[in-house]
Amino acid sequence: MTGEPRIGDVFGELLRDALAVATGVGPRPLAGGRLPRPVIEVIERDDGLVNGAPAAHYLDGPEDWQPHDHRAVDRVRGATLDVGVGAGRIALLLQERGVPVTGLDVSPGALQVCRRRGVRDLVHGTVDEHATSGRRYDTFLLLGNNLGLIEGRERAPAFLAALAAMARPGAQVIAHGTDPYGTRDPVHTGYHELNRRRGRLGGQLRLRLRYRELGTPWFDYLVCSPDELAELVRGSDWQLADVDDRDAPYYLATLRLPG
Ligand SMILES: C[S@@+](CC[C@H](N)C(=O)[O-])C[C@H]1O[C@@H](n2cnc3c(N)ncnc32)[C@H](O)[C@@H]1O
C-alpha cells in the first residue's frame, strides 16, 4: 500500500453517490452502515492545500442556483453544447425550455447520472474529440467554473480552436470564471507567486480530485482575471465581447465569433 489513490472516475462516483443520497435509490455512503454521510469532493492542490466541497450542489435545481447561472442560461440561444455537463443541472433546464442541448463530459459516471436524470443528448469525450463529429453549435456553455478547462497559456489555443471548429456563424461561448486575485490569504498569494516564478499564470491551479479510494491524475485548471482571459483569447478566432462581474469574484465571460 502506498497511500496513493487508485486512478478512476472520481466525478462519476461522487455524482452517483450524490444522486443516491438525493433520491434514496441505490447504494450510498453511510456511517456505521446506517447513517447518511454527505458526499464530499476532495480537491488537492500541488502545494499540499486540501479543500472539501459538498457534491450535492451539482444536482441543484434552478431555485438553488447562483444568480450568474440564471443570467448564463438566459443568454443561451440556438443549438447548445454544455461542456463538462456534470450531473446535467443546466442541460435539464435548457431541455425544459425547448433548447436543443448536448451534454459533453469525460466522465462516464457523470453521463450515466445525466441519463438517469433525463438529459437526452449526451456525448462522452473532450471538446477536441467532439470537434471531429461534424456537429455544430450556436452556444457553448462552460458553467460551474468550467472556464477552468482552458487550463493556461499552453492549452488555451487548442481548446478555443476546438470550440471554433464546432461553431456556427455568430456563435458564442458563455463561461463562468473566478478572479482569484482579490485574496490576501498568504496560502493563495504565495501559490500565485510560486506559479508565476515557474512561468505559469498565477491562478493556473495544479489539482487532483479524490473521492473515497479514487483519485484523478494531476491536471491544470485555470482561475484567471478578465484581463488574463482577454490575453488568452487574443490571437484565437474568438473575441471577448462581455464580462459580467456582478457576482464578483465570479464572472460570466461571453466570447463571440466576429461577423
Ligand atoms: C466543476 S464540474 C461542473 C459541472 C457542471 N458544468 C455544473 O455547472 O454543474 C466539472 C465537470 O467537467 C467535466 N470535465 C472535466 N474535464 C473535462 C474535459 N476535458 N472535457 C469535458 N468535460 C470535462 C467533469 O467530469 C465534471 O463533470
Side-chain angles (χ1 to χ4, degrees):
M1 259 193 252
T2 62
E4 282 298 296
R6 181 159 62 81
I7 300 295
D9 182 8
V10 169
F11 242 100
E13 288 299 312
L14 75 90
L15 292 182
R16 253 200 297 261
D17 279 0
L19 182 64
V21 169
T23 60
V25 177
R28 48 198 178 279
L30 297 171
R34 278 165 189 257
L35 300 173
R37 291 176 64 92
V39 178
I40 305 291
E41 173 184 5
V42 173
I43 305 157
E44 279 187 88
R45 201 169 67 180
D46 66 343
D47 59 342
L49 183 77
V50 178
N51 260 313
H57 74 93
Y58 289 119
L59 294 128
D60 277 351
E63 61 284 0
D64 295 314
W65 289 359
Q66 299 282 324
H68 52 80
D69 282 329
H70 289 283
R71 294 202 295 278
V73 294
D74 288 345
R75 289 182 189 194
V76 165
R77 50 172 179 70
T80 298
L81 184 67
D82 187 350
V83 179
V85 63
R89 64 187 181 98
I90 304 285
L92 283 169
L93 179 68
L94 292 176
Q95 265 185 199
E96 233 176 84
R97 290 186 178 180
V99 174
V101 57
T102 306
L104 178 78
D105 210 289
V106 291
S107 159
L111 294 174
Q112 196 182 62
V113 167
C114 281
R115 208 167 290 119
R116 279 166 49 192
R117 298 180 79 210
V119 182
R120 290 189 289 268
D121 185 16
L122 292 163
V123 174
H124 179 249
T126 62
V127 291
D128 317 72
E129 288 158 356
H130 191 44
T132 62
S133 68
R135 294 185 62 178
R136 297 287 176 270
Y137 299 93
D138 301 293
T139 300
F140 300 91
L141 290 178
L142 296 165
L143 299 185
N145 238 348
N146 256 353
L147 178 60
L149 295 180
I150 201 168
E151 290 186 17
R153 289 191 193 96
E154 282 186 16
R155 171 68 178 146
F159 184 82
L160 293 169
L163 296 184
M166 292 186 275
R168 289 193 181 139
Q172 56 175 353
V173 178
I174 301 167
H176 169 212
T178 304
D179 185 337
Y181 302 125
T183 182
R184 288 198 197 143
D185 182 338
V187 171
H188 295 302
T189 54
Y191 186 75
H192 300 156
E193 267 316 301
L194 168 72
N195 260 344
R196 290 189 186 105
R197 282 200 302 275
R198 48 187 186 175
R200 296 157 64 86
L201 289 169
Q204 190 169 349
L205 311 179
R206 186 102 185 124
L207 304 176
R208 71 176 173 182
L209 306 180
R210 297 183 67 164
Y211 181 62
R212 288 166 56 89
E213 84 287 16
L214 296 180
T216 65
W218 291 96
F219 63 92
D220 282 350
Y221 199 73
L222 185 66
V223 285
C224 66
S225 66
D227 284 348
E228 287 173 323
L229 178 63
E231 196 191 306
L232 292 173
V233 169
R234 210 168 291 137
S236 78
D237 293 326
W238 299 95
Q239 284 177 351
L240 179 56
D242 184 59
V243 176
D244 165 355
D245 62 1
R246 273 177 279 173
D247 299 334
Y250 300 127
Y251 59 88
L252 279 182
T254 303
L255 313 185
R256 290 223 171 82
L257 282 184

